[in-house]
Amino acid sequence: MQNIQLGKNLTAKQRRVYSFVCDFIESRGISPTVTEIAQHLGVSSLRTVTQYLESLQRKNLITRLKHQSRGIRLLNQAGVVPQTITLPVVSSAGCDNLSVFAEENYDEYITLDKDFLGGKNPSDMVAVKAVGDSMVDAGISSGDLVLTEKTFDIAEKDNVVAVVDGMAVIKQIRFTPNAIILHPMSHDPQYRPIIMKKDFQVFGKVIDVIKGFGGEELVYEKYDRIF
């Protein structure tokens, strides 16, 4: 949560609203609506919430975009909207065998420049840790952080995070008339395709990859699909 700047003389209610907005944005990557703030405060008047937000805006803690239900933006100490976004990190996904359970674990978050998302809605994005090297030819190695859009809009040869028998995998998806193939992207013959008829779920589509996550220095590489 962002620190409330000294000298702003916030009332208890203003502080409560500001803290809620900061925590909401940090945990979900999007701002709360006026209705959600009202529900948190236990008030029925949306105008009351709007007045609190107007007070925070006058004190240069937030700005509000017009005609957007989630248009609250936090300002930094210089009164500027930060160009970063915080995304949840969803456990791991195996690039090798089916060995990593598909669990949504939001105990970890990563803060990225908004340009990483390519204009996509932050609420539709998560980061997934890659495990294994069966996708190295697609630029995904073990330990990389894979930016994933949660979507069912999947096309031929998209690289996806899929859930098979409760296990999470990262593979390239291919379609045949009677099967769906989750294909490894590696010249190593030990990695085999997973051929599915049904009973699997696409969690999302790989958008970008951050290389060397967890090391002393993060290196960003633009993701390109390998066909």
Side-chain angles (χ1 to χ4, degrees), residues 14-218:
Q14 291 170 356
R15 187 177 295 271
R16 185 179 176 189
V17 171
Y18 183 65
S19 296
F20 176 72
V21 170
C22 290
D23 290 342
F24 196 100
I25 291 174
E26 182 175 356
S27 63
R28 306 192 189 189
I30 55 175
S31 63
T33 64
V34 172
T35 300
E36 287 168 338
I37 297 173
Q39 291 171 345
H40 174 74
L41 296 177
V43 300
S44 58
S45 172
L46 298 184
R47 178 55 187 161
T48 298
V49 175
T50 300
Q51 289 174 335
Y52 290 138
L53 294 175
E54 289 171 350
S55 297
L56 295 175
Q57 194 164 3
R58 286 194 298 270
K59 295 179 179 182
N60 211 32
L61 288 171
I62 66 169
T63 188
R64 298 167 64 206
L65 306 180
K66 294 182 178 180
H67 313 302
Q68 292 191 28
S69 63
R70 298 189 182 276
I72 302 172
R73 298 294 183 269
L74 299 176
L75 299 179
N76 61 22
Q77 293 185 359
V80 177
V81 179
Q83 297 302 308
T84 59
I85 195 71
T86 300
L87 295 181
V89 178
V90 181
S91 60
S92 303
C95 296
D96 293 341
N97 298 321
L98 298 180
S99 59
V100 181
F101 283 99
E103 297 179 353
E104 292 190 6
N105 182 356
Y106 295 110
D107 291 337
E108 185 177 350
Y109 295 85
I110 184 170
T111 300
L112 303 170
D113 191 300
K114 289 181 179 179
D115 288 345
F116 281 69
L117 305 189
K120 296 184 181 296
N121 189 337
S123 63
D124 295 331
M125 300 290 294
V126 297
V128 180
K129 290 181 182 178
V131 177
D133 292 315
S134 71
M135 294 294 289
V136 291
D137 288 351
I140 304 173
S141 302
S142 188
D144 290 348
L145 200 64
V146 178
L147 301 185
T148 304
E149 180 185 15
K150 294 184 289 185
T151 180
F152 297 112
D153 184 15
I154 302 298
E156 173 81 4
K157 293 188 177 180
D158 277 341
N159 288 334
V160 301
V161 178
V163 180
V164 180
D165 295 332
M167 303 289 185
V169 297
I170 302 175
K171 293 287 185 286
Q172 185 186 87
I173 195 167
R174 300 181 186 179
F175 302 97
T176 72
N178 64 344
I180 298 173
I181 302 174
L182 300 175
H183 206 282
M185 296 296 292
S186 170
H187 288 92
D188 191 328
Q190 70 172 304
Y191 301 121
R192 303 294 181 86
I194 303 171
I195 303 173
M196 303 299 300
K197 186 80 171 179
K198 55 182 180 179
D199 297 331
F200 83 101
Q201 174 186 354
V202 172
F203 179 82
K205 178 168 59 176
V206 174
I207 302 299
D208 282 311
V209 178
I210 296 175
K211 306 296 293 183
F213 179 71
E216 295 182 358
E217 181 178 0
L218 295 181

